[in-house]
Amino acid sequence: MKDPDVITADDFLEWIKLEPQSLVWLPVMHRLAASEAAKHEARCNICKIYPILGFRYRSLRHFNCDICQNCFFSGKQTKFFKMDHPLQEYYTEVCRIKLEMNMKCYF
């Protein structure tokens, strides 16, 4: 007879296969929690806020184009940046020292 208070590995794997919503949202919640402490040394190209706090979105089409989370979530655009352009989302700070070291190794 199976103990109802015990979850076996097989029970857990069957649950995972069902893709429960709590599991699907876990990575999103992690990024959201991590972004709360993020302070990016960048200026938003739309509202001009500096530094960008929270999520930062960098355009993959335009060089040095950063968007803060407020402008992104409200759908603001400029004459050169449109919401359908590809973006990279940053939810943690990019360490400038680490970036400079990587650049020195690259060049």
Side-chain angles (χ1 to χ4, degrees), residues 75-90:
K76 294 182 179 174
Q77 304 182 103
T78 65
K79 61 182 176 183
F80 64 91
F81 170 74
K82 305 296 179 209
M83 290 303 287
D84 62 347
H85 292 178
L87 296 170
Q88 173 72 47
E89 177 186 84
Y90 293 91

Side-chain angles (χ1 to χ4, degrees), residues 45-91:
N45 286 76
I46 296 174
C47 70
K48 308 301 183 202
I49 193 168
Y50 176 86
I52 295 177
L53 303 174
F55 287 106
R56 176 180 73 142
Y57 297 89
R58 174 157 263 209
S59 174
L60 298 177
R61 186 175 286 182
H62 302 285
F63 179 73
N64 204 20
C65 177
D66 295 294
I67 313 296
C68 71
Q69 67 182 11
N70 292 335
C71 291
F72 176 79
F73 287 125
S74 60
K76 294 182 179 174
Q77 304 182 103
T78 65
K79 61 182 176 183
F80 64 91
F81 170 74
K82 305 296 179 209
M83 290 303 287
D84 62 347
H85 292 178
L87 296 170
Q88 173 72 47
E89 177 186 84
Y90 293 91
Y91 60 93

